[in-house]
């Protein structure tokens, strides 16, 4: 397949591109800087600019672009950047794909566009699947706008799947930040520890995207492991993997002091999300429980 990927330098994108290339696919990476290699193509999502020819003959687009949710403190300006970076990139590729479909309507195309389990808001202990309604906080609103931006592609008859991803477990990302704390023996549950963390290993995240390239699935798809756990259970599992104590909880007020609004919505809130659509589509997880995912992510096999 010819597959274009946005956000290819991120945690998921880097692994996905390498895996797709190993599978024998032709990958085109959309980048905002000057291209350095033949597989890179310049685009400007902030101004919704993308050369007409880049997506004209692709079979699929995997859209992962967007600034990190927790990379900076949530000022009004950064919250706007969180929204705009997602909506602009998604609208740009959706419009370009729609234009390509109009010129060549016989070519089957698919858009796999990133979203997040934050779509559901703080679900408490409620079990959530793809039929559950959207929440009403900032992150939920981000996801609603993000997913709505694919409308031009859907209107053009292109199969669109919204990848509602959970916490991706890998050597990088969040795990790289918290592992040193746990290795020093100062890791612990966050707040009450009762909030649900819908994790997924990077291996399964990438494999799920590969599966959805050809599976007959459209609409929202939870990319989460089959057994979500509470933050307390996650903490205990991480302690077992690293052979370290996890007895020092971090109070919610301390997290709020350091992280601001992001603490309440991104750390102390949670979603007990299940991957119903993905499993019904025949996907098999490599890591079916959080401990095996953590051991893989941290090379503690």
């Amino acid at each position: 397949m010819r597959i274009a990927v946005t956000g290819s330098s991120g945690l998921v994108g880097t692994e996905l591109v390498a895996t797709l290339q190993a599978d024998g696919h032709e990958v085109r990476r959309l980048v905002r800087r000057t291209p350095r290699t033949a597989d890179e193509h310049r685009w400007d999502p902030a101004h919704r600019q993308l050369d007409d020819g880049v997506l004209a003959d692709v079979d699929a687009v995997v859209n992962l672009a967007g600034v990190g949710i927790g990379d900076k403190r949530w000022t009004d300006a950064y919250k706007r950047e969180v929204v705009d970076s997602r909506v602009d990139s998604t609208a740009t590729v959706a419009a370009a794909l729609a234009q390509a479909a109009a010129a060549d309507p016989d070519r089957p195309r698919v858009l796999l566009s990133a979203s997040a389990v934050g779509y559901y808001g703080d679900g408490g202990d409620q079990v959530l699947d793809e039929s559950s309604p959207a929440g009403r906080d900032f992150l939920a609103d981000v996801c609603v706008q993000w997913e709505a931006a694919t409308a031009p592609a859907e209107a053009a008859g292109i199969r669109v799947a919204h990848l509602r991803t959970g916490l991706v477990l890998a050597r990088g990302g969040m795990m790289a930040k918290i592992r040193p704390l746990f290795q020093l023996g100062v890791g612990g549950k966050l707040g009450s520890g009762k909030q649900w963390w819908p994790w997924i290993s990077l291996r399964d995240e990438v494999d799920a995207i590969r599966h959805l390239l050809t599976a007959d699935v459209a609409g929202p798809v939870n990319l989460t492991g089959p057994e979500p756990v509470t933050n307390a259970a996650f903490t205990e599992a991480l302690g077992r993997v690293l052979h370290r104590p996890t007895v020092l909880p971090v109070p919610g007020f301390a997290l709020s002091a350091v992280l601001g609004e992001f603490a309440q919505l991104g750390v102390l809130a949670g979603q007990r999300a299940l991957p119903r659509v993905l499993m019904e589509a025949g996907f098999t997880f490599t890591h079916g429980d959080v401990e095996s995912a953590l051991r893989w992510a941290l090379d503690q096999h």
Side-chain angles (χ1 to χ4, degrees), residues 4 8 10 15 17 24 34 37-38 50 54-55 77-78 104 130 136 141-142 150 163 236 248 259 284:
S8 62
E15 183 70 16
V17 167
T34 301
T37 59
L50 174 61
V54 175
L55 302 187
Y78 193 67
D104 182 9
E130 292 84 356
R136 297 186 177 182
D141 186 56
V142 169
T150 64
L163 312 178
E236 292 172 2
L248 297 175
L259 301 176
T284 301

Side-chain angles (χ1 to χ4, degrees), residues 1 3 59-63 93-94 97-98 101 105 107-113 150-163 208-221 277-278 281:
M1 299 176 69
I3 304 170
D59 304 297
V61 174
V62 182
N63 175 42
V93 295
L97 274 175
R107 178 188 290 273
R109 292 177 174 83
V110 58
L111 170 59
L112 304 183
S113 193
T150 64
E154 293 174 84
I158 294 166
R159 179 170 67 89
V160 176
H162 302 288
L163 312 178
I209 293 172
R210 293 164 71 204
H211 185 78
L212 292 169
L213 284 169
T214 55
D216 187 18
V217 174
V221 186
V277 170
L278 190 59

Side-chain angles (χ1 to χ4, degrees), residues 177-209:
K177 297 178 181 179
I178 67 173
R179 180 177 183 169
L181 298 176
F182 277 79
Q183 288 181 318
L184 290 171
V186 295
K189 66 181 181 181
L190 304 178
S192 71
K194 295 180 180 179
Q195 67 274 29
W196 289 87
W197 275 21
W199 57 272
I200 185 171
S201 73
L202 178 60
R203 177 74 276 143
D204 282 328
E205 172 83 5
V206 168
D207 286 347
I209 293 172

Side-chain angles (χ1 to χ4, degrees), residues 4-201:
V5 179
T6 75
S8 62
S9 62
L11 178 71
V12 175
T14 299
E15 183 70 16
L16 176 66
V17 167
T19 303
L20 291 176
Q21 289 174 334
D23 288 341
H25 300 300
E26 177 189 325
V27 179
R28 298 177 185 174
R29 293 184 288 165
L30 273 58
V31 299
R32 289 172 293 173
R33 52 169 171 75
T34 301
R36 299 169 183 162
T37 59
D39 67 338
E40 292 184 342
H41 298 266
R42 180 77 175 268
W43 73 322
D44 183 4
H47 295 93
R48 304 202 178 186
Q49 294 177 351
L50 174 61
D51 186 89
D52 293 345
V54 175
L55 302 187
D57 61 346
V58 301
D59 304 297
V61 174
V62 182
N63 175 42
L64 305 174
V67 301
I69 291 288
D71 286 0
K72 297 181 181 179
R73 195 174 181 88
W74 280 6
T75 62
D76 288 344
Y78 193 67
K79 287 169 72 173
R80 188 73 256 162
E81 189 176 350
V82 166
V83 175
D84 290 347
S85 65
R86 286 160 172 76
V87 172
D88 288 342
S89 61
T90 303
T92 301
V93 295
L97 274 175
Q99 186 174 12
D104 182 9
D106 294 329
R107 178 188 290 273
R109 292 177 174 83
V110 58
L111 170 59
L112 304 183
S113 193
S115 183
V117 291
Y119 175 94
Y120 305 110
D122 185 358
D125 290 328
Q126 180 181 0
V127 175
L128 304 168
D129 66 14
E130 292 84 356
S131 66
S132 300
R136 297 186 177 182
D137 57 35
F138 169 69
L139 288 181
D141 186 56
V142 169
C143 293
V144 169
Q145 294 184 62
W146 199 358
E147 295 184 8
T150 64
E154 293 174 84
I158 294 166
R159 179 170 67 89
V160 176
H162 302 288
L163 312 178
R164 293 179 181 168
T165 296
L167 172 64
V168 179
L169 303 184
R171 289 187 63 85
M174 186 203 75
M175 297 306 300
K177 297 178 181 179
I178 67 173
R179 180 177 183 169
L181 298 176
F182 277 79
Q183 288 181 318
L184 290 171
V186 295
K189 66 181 181 181
L190 304 178
S192 71
K194 295 180 180 179
Q195 67 274 29
W196 289 87
W197 275 21
W199 57 272
I200 185 171
S201 73

